[in-house]
Amino acid sequence: MSTYHPLSVEEAIELARTIPGHFSEGADLSCREIGDGNLNLVFHVTDTSSDKSIIIKQAVPYAKVVGESWPLSLDRARIERQALQIQHQYCPSLVPEVYAYCDEMAYTVMEDLSSYTIMRKGLIEGGVYPNFPEHIGEFIANTLFYTSDLGMNQQEKKVLAGQFVNPDLCKITEDLIFEDPYRDSPNNNYAEAIADEAAALRSDLPLHFEVALLRDKFLTRSQALLHGDLHTGSIFVTPESTMVIDPEFAYYGPMGFDIGAVLANLLLNYAAQPGWSKTEELAQREQRLLDMVPAVWNQFESRFRALWNRDLQDEMARTPGYQDHYISQILKDTAGFAGCKMIRRIVGLSHVADIDGIPDDALREAAQRKALAIGKALVRHNRSVSSIEHVMEVITQAINEIEVSI
């Protein structure tokens, strides 16, 4: 019989006392539940007489955003914990350390990042993070390369992939990103002001064709261990540091999905900037965000090529021209998945505060339309892009066209 039950604040405190090397015996501990996500409880335990603290994250057996009518497997906590440990192994300065865990109780005890800012919040407030492209480029290059057939023994990779079968959370992605926005789904959520955009998405068969191709890759291409939900709400930052959290959607899939998620969220914040920025700083903020898109890709590509040249395990992958071909395919996938993620965040179930939080109705609608225009353009052109400069041309053209019509 399972002993699982949701932790109380009092139980979280008692659990924290058992973690070696953190709190002194008899320490005065306080705890609050700070989870604002869709799927989990998150307890912040602190020593009131010192600066020591930890995080306890526990999965609940349903999607909090909907309720008990949407059941989810607790095994996702084990998947997230293992993903964190693997990512920390390859990027120890970019991923929090796991201190303890219990798969049966579906909790993980980890490093507290309270001194950091959630990147989404920071970008909304105009934060500047000059090291982010370098840091996230290192994270995605290392975690994707070393969990792929390029960077590890192929048989060992197959065994590892079997540990990351994640049907419940993959189903969320499959539906919310690759299906619901293109049909009349009860999961969709959009303002009446953009009902015309939602209707156009449902009838755009050429766009559906591109989404179907991307969905097939998500379903079938097991290139590497993905974070699976690499948005700016899953990244903590300071001007000097970056930390990646929350890989509970981790599974083996196409590399471009993780990279596309990062770029999509930068572009969503770009689209939202007129709703947050003063006139005199708007152009600078917008350009900074647009510049981050190629910077992230270039950091990833240069690091990925360096790892390939140094640590490649697959002898056939040394064939001249194969590296260039492989990376060009990742870029195409990145563009397409970025577009899908942007579209989903405007008309699908779960939105982003960057846009939904804009207080002015007209500016919010303009941001929604701009994000959709960029997203659709990336999806339409994903198979033809040949360089990151070409991707930026697609984005710029979509921006210019929508700004004329708004």
Side-chain angles (χ1 to χ4, degrees):
M1 180 180 295
S2 173
T3 60
Y4 173 86
H5 63 274
L7 291 170
S8 66
V9 166
E10 292 74 21
E11 287 173 317
I13 288 175
E14 292 310 307
L15 171 59
R17 294 188 188 280
T18 69
I19 307 303
H22 286 279
F23 301 115
S24 59
E25 185 175 353
D28 183 15
L29 301 185
S30 67
C31 176
R32 57 193 181 100
E33 204 280 306
I34 60 172
D36 60 355
N38 296 327
L39 302 176
N40 305 287
L41 299 171
V42 181
F43 298 95
H44 184 220
V45 183
T46 59
D47 183 344
T48 60
S49 61
S50 74
D51 60 355
K52 292 183 178 181
S53 57
I54 60 172
I55 291 292
I56 302 172
K57 182 174 181 179
Q58 185 184 35
V60 294
Y62 54 85
K64 284 173 62 182
V65 69
V66 175
E68 296 185 15
S69 63
W70 190 337
L72 292 173
S73 170
L74 291 173
D75 189 50
R76 71 182 192 274
R78 188 267 311 166
I79 288 173
E80 177 177 12
R81 181 264 304 170
Q82 282 190 280
L84 278 171
Q85 291 173 315
I86 291 170
Q87 292 163 355
H88 183 80
Q89 174 187 350
Y90 295 123
C91 304
S93 65
L94 300 171
V95 180
E97 183 179 356
V98 171
Y99 299 137
Y101 62 89
C102 176
D103 292 338
E104 187 174 13
M105 280 288 288
Y107 69 69
T108 302
V109 184
M110 69 187 82
E111 182 179 352
D112 177 26
L113 302 177
S114 295
S115 61
Y116 287 69
T117 298
I118 297 173
M119 189 175 186
R120 188 181 308 288
K121 179 177 183 289
L123 290 177
I124 289 172
E125 295 173 351
V128 181
Y129 306 107
N131 297 323
F132 175 72
E134 178 183 354
H135 291 164
I136 203 67
E138 178 184 349
F139 173 83
I140 52 182
N142 286 15
T143 58
L144 297 180
F145 179 83
Y146 285 117
T147 61
S148 75
D149 290 311
L150 302 169
M152 67 183 299
N153 174 275
Q154 289 82 35
Q155 282 62 52
E156 292 176 1
K157 180 231 177 180
K158 291 177 176 65
V159 173
L160 185 62
Q163 297 174 23
F164 285 93
V165 177
N166 198 354
D168 284 0
L169 271 64
C170 282
K171 177 64 172 170
I172 292 175
T173 301
E174 292 154 16
D175 290 351
L176 299 190
I177 296 178
F178 298 111
E179 184 173 337
D180 289 346
Y182 310 99
R183 65 186 184 93
D184 188 14
S185 168
N187 289 328
N188 289 337
N189 174 27
Y190 51 85
E192 183 61 30
I194 60 165
D196 60 320
E197 293 274 12
L201 284 172
R202 294 194 293 270
S203 63
D204 191 338
L205 295 184
L207 188 71
H208 293 188
F209 179 78
E210 297 299 333
V211 173
L213 294 176
L214 290 160
R215 185 174 187 269
D216 179 68
K217 289 183 178 181
F218 184 85
L219 290 170
T220 65
R221 191 156 197 196
S222 302
Q223 279 185 311
L225 178 60
L226 304 187
H227 178 285
D229 198 26
L230 195 56
H231 55 73
T232 49
S234 296
I235 299 170
F236 277 37
V237 289
T238 71
E240 298 80 27
S241 306
T242 304
M243 282 282 185
V244 178
I245 62 169
D246 290 352
E248 63 190 317
F249 281 76
Y251 93 113
Y252 261 80
M255 295 182 183
F257 188 78
D258 267 4
I259 311 167
V262 176
L263 302 191
N265 279 265
L266 295 175
L267 290 166
L268 285 164
N269 189 267
Y270 159 81
Q273 278 304 316
W276 297 109
S277 302
K278 297 178 182 177
T279 303
E280 61 270 20
E281 61 188 13
L282 174 59
Q284 183 181 29
R285 284 193 185 184
E286 288 180 327
Q287 192 59 53
R288 185 164 63 235
L289 286 156
L290 285 180
D291 288 346
M292 288 174 76
V293 172
V296 168
W297 171 264
N298 289 332
Q299 286 288 337
F300 160 75
E301 181 180 354
S302 63
R303 289 175 180 276
F304 195 83
R305 287 183 184 274
L307 295 175
W308 187 310
N309 295 335
R310 189 186 71 195
D311 292 337
L312 185 68
Q313 301 296 305
D314 183 356
E315 288 301 316
M316 287 302 293
R318 300 186 191 279
T319 304
Y322 183 68
Q323 183 184 108
D324 289 341
H325 172 77
Y326 195 104
I327 291 174
S328 73
Q329 292 300 311
I330 297 177
L331 177 65
K332 296 176 193 296
D333 292 350
T334 294
F337 288 129
C340 289
K341 296 281 269 186
M342 294 185 74
I343 292 168
R344 166 268 170 111
R345 290 295 193 178
I346 303 302
V347 302
L349 176 65
S350 182
H351 295 185
V352 291
D354 315 52
I355 291 179
D356 272 24
I358 295 172
D360 183 276
D361 291 346
L363 291 176
R364 189 186 323 113
E365 180 185 342
Q368 291 166 338
R369 292 182 183 274
K370 183 180 289 188
L372 284 173
I374 297 170
K376 289 188 291 185
L378 288 170
V379 172
R380 292 189 202 283
H381 297 284
N382 79 93
R383 289 186 294 142
S384 64
V385 295
S386 55
S387 65
I388 191 60
E389 292 76 21
H390 190 181
V391 172
M392 296 310 297
E393 290 172 9
V394 169
I395 293 169
T396 300
Q397 182 174 349
I399 292 168
N400 291 340
E401 290 176 357
I402 194 64
E403 287 183 343
V404 169
S405 65
I406 290 178

